[in-house]
Amino acid sequence: MEIISRFVLHIENYFLLSHFSKFIIQWTLTALAVYGIVTFFLGKWNGEKAAIYVGFIVRFVLLIGLSIEMLHQVSITEITTVFYDRQPSLRQFLHFLFFGYIIVVGFYYMITLKQKMNKGVFYTFDIAVLTLPPLQLLTSFFVYAIKGEVVLIDIVGFTIILSIIVASLYLFFLNYWEFRWKTLIPFYAIVATCSLMFYLFGFIDMMEVSNLIIFLGLLMTYHLINRSSLQVLERLKQPFIVTMAILFLVLSNPLYNAADVALASTDAELRLRYFETTNLIQIEEAKALAMKITNEEQFSFRQPETQDFHNRYWLRSKNYLVDIDGVSGEVMNVHRHTEPDGEMLSAQEYVVRSKQLLERMGRTLLDDDQIHTTVTEEENRVHVEMVPKYDDGSILDVWMTTTFTWEKESLVQFHERLNLYPVETLKDVLITSAEVELVLQEWYELLGEEIPQYVVDNVVYGYSNRTIDINISTINHHTIQLDGRTGEILYFGGDLADYENIDFNELEYKVLAWKEVQIDDWKREPISNFWEWREQEQEGMKLAFVHQFGYTDGEPLFTYSKNIDYFNQPNTSVKVASRQQAYDAVATSIDYTPYATRARLTHVIDENDQIRVAWLLVIQPYKKAEHRLYLVDIETKEWVSLYE
């Protein structure tokens, strides 16, 4: 049972099947299994005509499933982006083809192994269905080739894919009509080589082709067995049919199958940590920000189907691609994919436009004397770079810049970094610039040094490690990290000026005392070149931390960090099957049709570092691109929506 449960969970983690697909696949396999068992008990009954009717019904049902999947896909994205984005818009459609069409049709062929009438018609139809995604992929290549948006590697890839498809189909039909080793061996060589390459280097990313190749290989094997005149094979066909029918009935019936039994006794793996103070960006907020940047109103949204949170919002409009962080709202990238318009402007006008863009986005800038601006021109494009500077006028490393690229009057590229703004103006930051100054003064007093000039070089947001980190760089190359909500110092690294007169061991205790750590309850142990402090006993369902100090006597470098103790976490015993109860608790209150769902066992951390266990439900509405997230408490079944 453990093997079955792990196999099911592996498939669920890497392949997201919709509720519609699961329903159609399970009931169709069950009906075929019952048909196979019934034909076994009917003995010498001639089932040729019945097999044909069953074959047509099965394919009709599968086409309904394909239509449902296609309607969802065309509602959420542009079909031609299957080539351009390399995150195929038909991914769910391809999953249904593999788990639905290939497996269900393959099972149909198994239980009709003794029937030979009109099999060629089904072969042709099935191959035509499996050939559609590769043809769509190749068609989209031509669309973007016409636009001039392909490079040499794309042409090479297109040629290889086209050659594989043409060669495999040609050899298949040659061997279908006449058995010859000189054509059969090359056919299986292509199938085996491609299957191995897909497995090693991206089966999931090339399902358009791998589905077809795998199906052709299986179908040819079936065809050779079916046409064989060996008596031993004829005697084995009926026992094989009933065995497979019983096996599929046990494994896939929708009422209660082997997977249900296995998951009811399997402990769920903890797959996520989530800080409940995290404030996620809604898709409407992301689109509103994209509109302010580009002055465009219509955006399509792309979401990888295996991504639980909207870690990024990939938005596409007529002229722009916009990439916005899903937690902080930081603009990671703006790229114009159409020709710019307008006239060339002066360098100062581009600087003014850049600052106006940030203000239009709702950002509050540092004073002009705290920002260093550089303007360069290259191939008719003007690059404006902005970075905070120290009091003496020196600046940070160039890679920490907010960058604008203008061509004529059009913004063609933009990358934002959250270091041009006072920290108190940033999303969800609860400390002020004055409080940052106070914390740093206390810290450097602890180190026995004067506080150096410093700037905030970045602010990093998350949901599973910490919520907000404020990264600070000093003029003497110290690196400091503060908690954006409490102001606590989480990391320090740098050379100390008076290191020769410092007792680093004593400094450890001073730091821990400053952080109000009761050292009697902690143990100190050496780990490589570091000293680590861990709590001796964990305090129930509470997040544990480790304080780490790094130094070598006689050397100036001193580091300190406070991290989550991954080796000291509370045990969680929750059965996988309980996720259905979590879904049932949410399903009664949602006002949309669920398309697909998955669940992640989660530790939810509150403001006091207390932990509670919950299921994170990821539900995608039918004909919608975005996901809805729900945290459902394991004990009470109370839930909260993270995107509403």
Side-chain angles (χ1 to χ4, degrees), residues 1-10 247 249-253 256-268 575-577 579:
M1 286 300 175
E2 183 70 16
I3 295 176
I4 294 176
S5 64
R6 294 305 167 192
F7 177 74
V8 171
L9 293 174
H10 176 77
L247 180 63
L249 192 62
V250 171
L251 292 176
S252 62
N253 83 82
Y256 198 69
N257 54 52
D260 295 326
V261 177
L263 295 178
S265 59
T266 300
D267 285 335
K575 301 303 179 185
V576 177
R579 62 187 179 179

Side-chain angles (χ1 to χ4, degrees), residues 477-496:
H477 306 295
H478 290 176
T479 301
I480 306 170
Q481 189 177 87
L482 274 67
D483 187 305
R485 299 181 65 85
T486 66
E488 180 183 9
I489 287 185
L490 303 174
Y491 176 82
F492 171 85
D495 293 345
L496 300 185

Side-chain angles (χ1 to χ4, degrees), residues 3 55-56 85 124 233 273 301 427 432 481 535 552 555:
I3 295 176
F56 279 118
D85 290 337
T124 303
L233 291 179
R273 183 189 300 107
F301 169 53
K427 174 179 175 287
T432 64
Q481 189 177 87
E535 289 182 276
T552 301
E555 295 186 7

Side-chain angles (χ1 to χ4, degrees), residues 607-621:
E607 292 188 11
N608 299 314
D609 297 328
Q610 294 293 328
I611 300 173
R612 74 175 190 273
V613 185
W615 281 107
L616 175 75
L617 294 183
V618 186
I619 303 180
Q620 185 174 6

Side-chain angles (χ1 to χ4, degrees), residues 175-208:
N175 291 298
Y176 174 81
W177 294 111
E178 183 179 357
F179 175 83
R180 290 184 297 181
W181 285 109
K182 66 179 182 180
T183 55
L184 189 64
I185 292 176
F187 172 78
Y188 276 109
I190 292 175
V191 172
T193 301
C194 291
S195 299
L196 180 63
M197 295 295 287
F198 293 139
Y199 176 76
L200 294 176
F201 303 109
F203 166 79
I204 296 177
D205 290 334
M206 284 301 298
M207 288 187 75
E208 296 93 339

